[in-house]
Amino acid sequence: MKMHISTFIVVSASFLPSVFCWGSLGHYTVAYIASNFVTNATQAKFQGILNDTSADYLASVATYADSYRYTDEGGYSKPFHYIDANDNPPASCGVDYSRDCGSEGCIVSAINNYTERVQSSTLSSADVTLAAKMLVHFIGDIHQPLHDENLAVGGNDIPVTFDGKPTNLHAVWDTSIPEKYAGKASLEGAQTWATTLSTAIKSGSYKSSAKSWLAGMDISDAVTSSMIWATDSNSYVCSSVMPNGSTETENVDLSGDYYAEALPIIQLQIAKAGYRLAAWLNLIATGSTCIQG
Ligand SMILES: *[C@@H]1O[C@H](CO)[C@@H](O)[C@H](O)[C@H]1NC(C)=O
Ligand SMILES: *[C@@H]1O[C@H](CO)[C@@H](O)[C@H](O)[C@H]1NC(C)=O
Ligand SMILES: *[C@@H]1O[C@H](CO)[C@@H](O)[C@H](O)[C@H]1NC(C)=O
Ligand SMILES: *[C@@H]1O[C@H](CO)[C@@H](O)[C@H](O)[C@H]1NC(C)=O
């Protein structure tokens, strides 16, 4: 079964447009950071739900939602990967749940839904497993600033180049910048990046701010909690993604100065995503964010 799923991902990946999600590298890294900060009880609970006692139990499912959305069965979940903030960057940024979460759902309603479903004692184990996979993915995606932005389809319609190759602004944030820094997506590369960022959280440059990343987290109000994350992430659209306006990046090669300025923000957002995912899973499993170093 496991073999079958990974074969499917490899095969289907070649048909995917370069859309809508931290690339695999970002998602694996978020998952490994979370694995570093969950409690033993949380680890046991989610290894049970995911039927995987390996150290990769979160990373192995972190990109599942990106293949599921392209299946007939999972097509309904496409809008769950983002929230289309109808703000006005770079002049003003902001997310408004009632304005921006469409009738078919968005990443905030999805985090709310799957947080409820993963805790259900009446759903089938297959539904609970799906809920866990979706949470691991969406708590990653919500930290990519362009997943919290409507302009130009979250930057997908802004053509740019990166290291000479044509791509778009969204894909540069999802994939090009992470891979230029940490290498092509692999579990090993992600683990190394996750170790670096986890050390920065425990004892390095993020140590003094990491606690503040958990502010406002309330497991009984996932909409309010994840709106805090979406608003935080969306603010980087104004400050870092297009501080000089969207047209300033159009048809520009972003692998030089732009890369250098964006990389620290991407590192920070990946670190926050992993740390918040750990705290969220701890809340689900134990009722406390109690981060275990
Ligand atoms: C958690 O598990 C690890 C390895 O299995 C063990 O070394 C550690 O003492 C445990 N921590 C707690 C707080 O029980
Ligand atoms: C759990 O995993 C084991 C070994 O990988 C497999 O044999 C078993 O069928 C799985 N159980 C479920 C419920 O999927
Ligand atoms: C909640 O998740 C289930 C299973 O994926 C899905 O069928 C349903 O549409 C979701 N509901 C909302 C409100 O997102
Ligand atoms: C925005 O403009 C400022 C001032 O010209 C420049 O220093 C900065 O690199 C630009 N940033 C981006 C992301 O284009």
Side-chain angles (χ1 to χ4, degrees), residues 62-84:
T63 58
Y64 177 79
D66 279 332
S67 48
Y68 183 64
R69 62 185 292 178
Y70 291 105
T71 63
D72 290 343
E73 186 201 348
Y76 68 90
S77 65
K78 282 182 190 170
F80 297 177
H81 292 248
Y82 51 83
I83 183 165
D84 277 338

Side-chain angles (χ1 to χ4, degrees), residues 56-141:
D56 309 324
Y57 65 109
L58 297 179
S60 297
V61 300
T63 58
Y64 177 79
D66 279 332
S67 48
Y68 183 64
R69 62 185 292 178
Y70 291 105
T71 63
D72 290 343
E73 186 201 348
Y76 68 90
S77 65
K78 282 182 190 170
F80 297 177
H81 292 248
Y82 51 83
I83 183 165
D84 277 338
N86 282 283
D87 53 0
N88 185 29
S92 76
C93 273
V95 193
D96 180 326
Y97 184 62
S98 55
R99 180 191 64 189
D100 300 328
C101 191
S103 58
E104 299 190 322
C106 67
I107 195 163
V108 172
S109 62
I111 289 172
N112 186 51
N113 185 37
Y114 293 114
T115 296
E116 276 170 24
R117 291 173 72 91
V118 81
Q119 300 180 82
S120 168
S121 53
T122 51
L123 286 174
S124 70
S125 68
D127 282 341
V128 171
T129 302
L130 176 67
K133 293 176 177 175
M134 299 297 246
L135 272 182
V136 171
H137 188 84
F138 297 141
I139 294 179
D141 270 351

